[in-house]
Amino acid sequence: MALKLYNSLARKKEIFEPIHEGRVGMYVCGPTVYSDVHLGNIRTFVSFDVIYRYLKYLGYKVRYVRNITDVGHLEGDADSNAEDKISQRARLEQLEPMEIVQHYMNGFHSMMHRFNTLDPNIEPRATGHIIEQIKMVQDILDNGFAYIENGSVYFDTLKFQQEKKVYGQLSGRIIEELMTETRTDLKNQSEKRHPSDFAIWIKASPTHLMRWESPWSIGFPGWHLECSVMSTKYLGDKFDIHGGGNDLKFPHHENEIAQNIGACGVAPAKYWLHTNMLLMHGKKMSKSDGNSITPHELFTGDSPHVSKGYSPMALRFFMLQAHYRSTLDISDEALSAAEKGYKKLMETNKVLQNLAATQWASTPTSTDTEIEKLMSETINGMNDDFNTAIAIGKLNELSGYIHKLANKQLAFTEISESVLNKLKAFYATFITDVFGLLSESEHAAQEESTLDGLMQLLITMRQKARAEKDWATSDLIRDALGELKIQVKDGKDGTTWSKG
RNA sequence: GGUGACGUGGCCGAGUGGUUAGGCUGGGCUCUGCAAAAGCUCCUACAGCGGUUCGAAUCCGCUCGUCACCUCCA
């Protein structure tokens, strides 16, 4: 069964056929680093991480590009009075904009690593591509799809639509309706010829911190421009997959397509993938309206929304239990269920890897057939638009066989050695390489407390032995711990211990 | 107001015409010194109304409800 994916552009599932055989170019819109990454972003990047991992699993050579937006993302409406999010933050905190960027970018990276997402192959930053962005603005102007107004440059959506007929194709917007937009809160856009036009170069106000020289003004690039420039710079004018959150479909991605076509006549991506939103209490989790919980609060449990802390891996598993195009509602109950499911899956894998026998079925059995079937159904699930929920369900069905073998409820003579070995490799690969789930070592804090408890127990037992002058037992404990590089220290105020 | 999506059992969440999704929770059984784990098993479904069909959670229509986008957001 071939890989199918849901292409937002076509609004249906399509068979995936890369532009260049064996290779995939994938671009995903990354975060704007003006504040701490929140859980909704994480869901999107975890989703694309699994997509990236699965494409690699299928044998594709993938170039994964995910940008860092460090300029151009405006607070409020895109007229000349609007302020760049990062610039604004820098002013408020009295820091260099690049200090803001560095700080939140570092935080983003460390959070991504806690969720065990793979780094993209290229992580370009908008401020590193100002020259290319200016060139694209010029190309769009040269092609007649933009106009200059008071030092700012605007994309002419009406002209673009008249000539290319594709504006609104991705998002389903109808340009005539955008033209007659009557909402009163959108009326302060006097420099634009049409309400649907958007800025591609913005003249900086005197107080604006981030500014570059250009043929039109000292200013900064529009937000949509960076993705058009950086995706095609690293992946070519036409590449395979462009991804991002659902909420970027319009205007961001629609405008991106317009810019690329406006500049070089080619739509950038063959397949557009959009992840759905993470909800809390049935509503979109969103920083701006306070309906959100930070990853840190989830880890520690320090939030009225949860009864306890959840590990990054439990959260990752929670996200994988739903399909990436479905909304996912976060709740304490659901997280708790996911945590248990995650632990069980990891434990099952451990049990599986430890299975060993001396006698096997000599000919293929019905168990072999069932197991082979479940493995291929796992793959089919993933091939059906990366349906991780199905894949997890199938792995769980396989777990029945694994535990029965472990408990001797199913004899090893009912299974072929080759099938079990295949299952071992398959299970481990899926959990680790495709789903990106780490084992318990991720729960470092929990292990710490377990170790602590064990040590207290040993010390108590040793003290009992010492009280009874049972020096053999006492020394056995101390020496054995020494072998494990744990030092036992008998002081005046009792016994302490240390590692290493 | 425009556009789109969704409504599945106690909870989460797959599933687009006929077959058990799966996880968590609850009941029963097996195993077990006790407990845990594990296995087996049971219970509660497809928002409502109508239509198409031999047959619908799945297709069509209507009603009700929820959400998203249209403005920064993954």
Side-chain angles (χ1 to χ4, degrees):
Chain A
M1 183 175 155
L3 174 62
K4 282 192 291 187
L5 42 78
Y6 185 89
N7 188 354
S8 301
L9 204 54
R11 288 157 212 255
K12 62 179 186 202
K13 286 181 194 169
E14 296 181 338
I15 291 176
F16 178 66
E17 287 167 344
I19 294 167
H20 304 289
E21 194 175 341
R23 290 171 179 271
V24 178
M26 177 162 91
Y27 184 91
V28 173
C29 289
T32 301
V33 283
Y34 69 105
S35 68
D36 289 319
V37 64
H38 84 120
L39 214 59
N41 298 58
I42 290 169
R43 184 192 183 193
T44 294
F45 300 134
V46 164
S47 297
F48 283 108
D49 183 57
V50 172
I51 288 170
Y52 173 46
R53 286 165 176 275
Y54 189 64
L55 289 169
K56 295 214 299 183
Y57 171 82
L58 291 178
Y60 289 111
K61 201 165 157 52
V62 187
R63 181 179 288 169
Y64 175 24
V65 181
R66 187 184 64 206
N67 69 299
I68 292 281
T69 296
D70 58 359
V71 67
H73 208 151
L74 296 183
E75 193 72 56
D77 296 324
D79 69 0
S80 53
N81 294 321
E83 189 166 18
D84 183 285
K85 278 173 183 279
I86 287 159
S87 190
Q88 179 190 52
R89 190 79 185 213
R91 189 169 49 74
L92 290 174
E93 297 192 18
Q94 297 197 311
L95 293 169
E96 274 293 319
M98 281 302 114
E99 282 183 284
I100 299 291
V101 166
Q102 192 69 51
H103 175 76
Y104 290 112
M105 188 172 70
N106 290 350
F108 169 68
H109 286 150
S110 93
M111 193 56 75
M112 284 296 100
H113 289 147
R114 291 194 73 175
F115 279 92
N116 196 33
T117 61
L118 299 174
D119 291 331
N121 302 106
I122 302 175
E123 192 171 48
R125 287 163 60 173
T127 52
H129 299 75
I130 299 295
I131 291 168
E132 291 90 335
Q133 293 186 73
I134 287 171
K135 169 149 192 325
M136 186 174 274
V137 171
Q138 190 61 58
D139 288 345
I140 295 170
L141 276 167
D142 291 347
N143 290 335
F145 294 118
Y147 53 90
I148 304 163
E149 199 67 55
N150 189 28
S152 291
V153 183
Y154 292 93
F155 192 95
D156 189 335
T157 52
L158 190 59
K159 183 156 184 238
F160 179 73
Q161 175 61 5
Q162 281 163 353
E163 293 191 18
K164 302 289 183 183
K165 315 280 185 206
V166 294
Y167 195 76
Q169 190 184 9
L170 176 69
S171 61
R173 306 289 140 177
I174 295 160
I175 191 134
E176 287 74 16
E177 285 172 4
L178 293 169
M179 290 298 162
T180 56
E181 178 62 71
T182 54
R183 281 163 45 123
T184 51
D185 54 343
L186 290 180
K187 280 189 172 167
N188 55 348
Q189 301 173 351
S190 51
E191 288 182 353
K192 295 184 190 177
R193 289 184 192 163
H194 323 293
S196 57
D197 292 351
F198 56 93
I200 52 181
W201 185 264
I202 300 154
K203 182 182 174 183
S205 65
T207 56
H208 200 279
L209 293 174
M210 301 173 86
R211 42 175 63 217
W212 289 266
E213 280 192 37
S214 79
W216 317 287
S217 65
I218 293 176
F220 57 101
W223 171 41
H224 313 302
L225 199 62
E226 57 167 294
C227 289
S228 283
V229 164
M230 297 189 290
S231 62
T232 51
K233 169 161 181 167
Y234 297 109
L235 297 171
D237 285 348
K238 181 99 187 163
F239 54 93
D240 299 294
I241 295 173
H242 192 309
N246 213 351
D247 49 358
L248 294 184
K249 212 185 269 183
F250 187 88
H252 185 56
H253 291 159
E254 193 70 62
N255 290 351
E256 233 184 286
I257 294 172
Q259 288 164 348
N260 283 102
I261 295 177
C264 70
V266 180
K270 188 171 175 186
Y271 305 96
W272 286 81
L273 268 50
H274 289 98
T275 59
N276 216 321
M277 298 292 108
L278 189 63
L279 311 182
M280 189 159 72
H281 308 306
K283 298 213 173 193
K284 179 179 173 180
M285 196 178 274
S286 163
K287 268 190 288 203
S288 52
D289 64 14
N291 185 44
S292 75
I293 180 167
T294 67
H296 188 255
E297 286 167 342
L298 267 177
F299 299 159
T300 60
D302 182 21
S303 161
H305 300 297
V306 289
S307 63
K308 61 186 281 284
Y310 295 98
S311 72
M313 286 301 110
L315 285 161
R316 186 172 169 111
F317 184 82
F318 169 72
M319 291 170 183
L320 298 187
Q321 274 189 309
H323 189 261
Y324 75 88
R325 278 190 294 113
S326 297
T327 53
L328 175 62
D329 206 334
I330 198 164
S331 69
D332 191 52
E333 211 175 354
L335 285 173
S336 168
E339 182 183 53
K340 286 178 187 168
Y342 157 68
K343 286 182 176 168
K344 205 169 132 183
L345 185 67
M346 301 311 283
E347 184 57 31
T348 300
N349 186 40
K350 208 185 282 178
V351 168
L352 170 64
Q353 301 307 325
N354 289 329
L355 287 182
T358 49
Q359 289 208 307
W360 307 90
S362 47
T363 54
T365 66
S366 61
T367 303
D368 289 344
T369 312
E370 287 298 314
I371 288 174
E372 300 262 21
K373 181 167 169 247
L374 285 169
M375 287 194 284
S376 81
E377 283 173 352
T378 308
I379 297 287
N380 287 347
M382 289 301 287
N383 280 344
D384 186 11
D385 195 27
F386 310 102
N387 196 326
T388 50
I390 294 265
I392 287 173
K394 295 300 173 187
L395 292 186
N396 275 320
E397 288 191 61
L398 281 164
S399 96
Y401 290 97
I402 293 165
H403 287 292
K404 272 189 268 189
L405 282 168
N407 296 343
K408 317 282 186 222
Q409 288 167 306
L410 182 67
F412 281 98
T413 48
E414 291 297 317
I415 185 171
S416 302
E417 186 174 15
S418 62
V419 170
L420 185 67
N421 286 335
K422 194 173 160 193
L423 177 62
K424 282 187 180 182
F426 181 83
Y427 220 82
T429 300
F430 243 84
I431 288 174
T432 310
D433 297 345
V434 178
F435 292 152
L437 294 169
L438 295 172
S439 68
E440 296 299 304
S441 65
E442 181 64 23
H443 300 285
Q446 193 188 318
E447 285 195 343
E448 268 321 300
S449 89
T450 304
L451 181 62
D452 210 52
L454 278 171
M455 285 307 299
Q456 286 312 316
L457 175 66
L458 280 169
I459 286 169
T460 304
M461 287 171 72
R462 184 161 166 275
Q463 271 165 347
K464 188 159 170 278
R466 290 175 65 194
E468 292 165 6
K469 298 193 191 299
D470 180 359
W471 307 120
T473 303
S474 164
D475 289 350
L476 174 68
I477 291 172
R478 185 174 57 198
D479 294 342
L481 286 173
E483 295 270 316
L484 297 169
K485 302 250 191 287
I486 293 174
Q487 215 179 356
V488 176
K489 292 173 259 189
D490 296 314
K492 271 185 189 166
D493 304 324
T495 303
T496 58
W497 62 278
S498 64
K499 258 202 299 188

